[in-house]
Amino acid sequence: QVQLVESGGGSVQAGGSLRLSCAASGRTFSSYVMGWFRQAPGKEREFVAAISRTGVNTDYADSVKGRFAISRDNAKNMVYLQMIRLKPEDTAVYYCAADRDVLLTSPEYAYWGQGIQVTVSS
């Protein structure tokens, strides 16, 4: 198993930037595909971004492509989500997710963090 803890959330104005971090427990971090998902009040959880075990492959939701960037540092057991040009519709609880073998965009990741709030005001 793996435990995931998100940090770096908060409130920003539209057009601003924010970087989310996810710290993973254990020494097998490089064995996991990592993803970011988000859920706004009254809406379904949606895929945001994901990164392969080696970090060479990434995937993004069309709504965030060009504005968000996912990265990982396997030596530090960390995954990041850099968000720029934020929009009010980006407001949601963001979740870090991990799985040993899953399609990057799948909603069926095995392990999830507690979530962290991102609020973008207009």
Side-chain angles (χ1 to χ4, degrees), residues 20-22 29 34 36 51 70-72 77-80 96:
L20 303 182
S21 299
C22 176
F29 180 69
M34 301 296 298
W36 287 97
I51 189 165
I70 189 170
S71 61
R72 68 190 297 162
N77 283 23
M78 297 288 291
V79 62
Y80 307 97
C96 179

Side-chain angles (χ1 to χ4, degrees), residues 8-14 16-18 86 91 117-121:
S11 299
V12 296
Q13 291 185 316
S17 301
L18 206 61
L86 283 161
T91 295
Q117 180 71 45
V118 170
T119 301
V120 184
S121 60

Side-chain angles (χ1 to χ4, degrees), residues 18-34:
L18 206 61
R19 188 179 77 160
L20 303 182
S21 299
C22 176
S25 65
R27 62 178 184 176
T28 59
F29 180 69
S30 62
S31 298
Y32 291 90
V33 174
M34 301 296 298

Side-chain angles (χ1 to χ4, degrees), residues 11-102:
S11 299
V12 296
Q13 291 185 316
S17 301
L18 206 61
R19 188 179 77 160
L20 303 182
S21 299
C22 176
S25 65
R27 62 178 184 176
T28 59
F29 180 69
S30 62
S31 298
Y32 291 90
V33 174
M34 301 296 298
W36 287 97
F37 294 76
R38 67 187 183 186
Q39 187 169 26
K43 297 184 178 180
E44 295 183 356
R45 180 187 63 194
E46 66 175 349
F47 168 78
V48 176
I51 189 165
S52 64
R53 298 172 185 84
T54 63
V56 300
N57 295 317
T58 59
D59 209 344
Y60 298 90
D62 289 343
S63 60
V64 306
K65 190 173 183 179
R67 298 189 299 116
F68 291 11
I70 189 170
S71 61
R72 68 190 297 162
D73 186 339
N74 286 350
K76 297 181 178 179
N77 283 23
M78 297 288 291
V79 62
Y80 307 97
L81 185 68
Q82 180 66 57
M83 305 181 291
I84 64 172
R85 298 193 299 276
L86 283 161
K87 304 175 181 179
E89 51 262 45
D90 294 319
T91 295
V93 175
Y94 284 69
Y95 297 90
C96 179
D99 201 295
R100 287 190 178 273
D101 188 16
V102 65

